[in-house]
Amino acid sequence: MKRIEKWLAGADHQTVRVAETAVAAALEAGSIISKLYGNPHRIRMKGAIDLVTEADLAAEKAILAGLSREFPETAVLAEESSSDYTRIPSGPVWIIDPLDGTTNFAHGFPYFCVSIAYSIDRQTEFGVIYCPVLDELFWAGRASGAWLNGKRISVTETSVLLESLLATGFPYDIPGNLERIIAQLHKMLPQVRDLRRGGAAALDLAFVACGRLDGFWEVDLKPWDTAAGQLLVEEAGGVVTDFKGGAWTPYLPEILASNSRLHSQISRLL
Ligand code: IPD
Ligand code: CA
Ligand code: CA
């Protein structure tokens, strides 16, 4: 596996299998998404503003085929075909967002990615996020750092909120969350250098990990949005918690990720 060759050199057999399989699946999905990007899309509505396109479905199909070839026994949580986590799976599970940032993709706004996590008992052991437009492959293995295209990445050292660039996102259930979101923006905007709403939560987390953002929060996410990104942020030296600074797993809808130095300041405002 050329893209992560050097990193794999020091890894054990199981990590190599997991990483090679996940990265190959993410790259294949990315290439499918890229090919479809310039064409007109077949869009189906999952909710009033929640879209699914031919690219989400084709990418997920390819990812599932790739993962099940190597890991036929491993459970799967995948946004478009097996998204029920009312009973949280125990043991190993693949957590897949085949296309994070579908609204961006559908509108030709070039900020979207593929996200795949290999998790055991609610803890991500390996995560990969691939942004096809930038050809950027982010990955992280537990206790083996966070990487972007072969280089180790780390979070920023910003400790002054007014010097920070933060990002947030808006869930599909806007009416149910509107007051909370507006209250958070009201408090946050005057305290920071600027805010972004990129439109792809997994990529936002990867951007925190590589220091393009100092922090990210969102109120109502799903495990496939955050499972890989959490490990990236933590392995890059950042912190991921709930809004109050408490323990976090990908099954918790709210997330606050930061470079750690700003964490308590952001948490206080949320
Ligand atoms: C969405 C994106 C968006 C976030 C939404 C997510 P999708 O995922 O990550 O940035 O604000 O909450 O649902 O539907 O594009 O995979
Ligand atoms: Ca998503
Ligand atoms: Ca998605």
Side-chain angles (χ1 to χ4, degrees), residues 227-259:
Q230 173 208 7
L231 187 61
L232 272 160
V233 170
E234 289 177 350
E235 287 293 326
V239 174
V240 179
T241 67
D242 67 12
F243 290 164
K244 291 192 176 129
W248 188 88
T249 85
Y251 300 95
L252 204 72
E254 68 180 40
I255 185 171
L256 167 59
S258 84
N259 69 356

Side-chain angles (χ1 to χ4, degrees), residues 8 46 136 174 214 232 257:
L8 286 176
K46 294 198 278 186
E136 287 191 335
I174 290 286
D214 300 295
L232 272 160

Side-chain angles (χ1 to χ4, degrees), residues 196-264:
R196 296 286 177 267
R197 190 287 192 254
L203 200 52
D204 295 332
L205 288 166
F207 275 28
V208 173
C210 73
R212 293 172 188 160
L213 293 167
D214 300 295
F216 166 75
W217 84 91
E218 190 164 338
V219 296
D220 192 12
L221 288 169
K222 306 287 190 304
W224 43 86
D225 298 311
T226 52
Q230 173 208 7
L231 187 61
L232 272 160
V233 170
E234 289 177 350
E235 287 293 326
V239 174
V240 179
T241 67
D242 67 12
F243 290 164
K244 291 192 176 129
W248 188 88
T249 85
Y251 300 95
L252 204 72
E254 68 180 40
I255 185 171
L256 167 59
S258 84
N259 69 356
S260 98
R261 295 180 182 215
L262 291 167
H263 210 80
S264 56

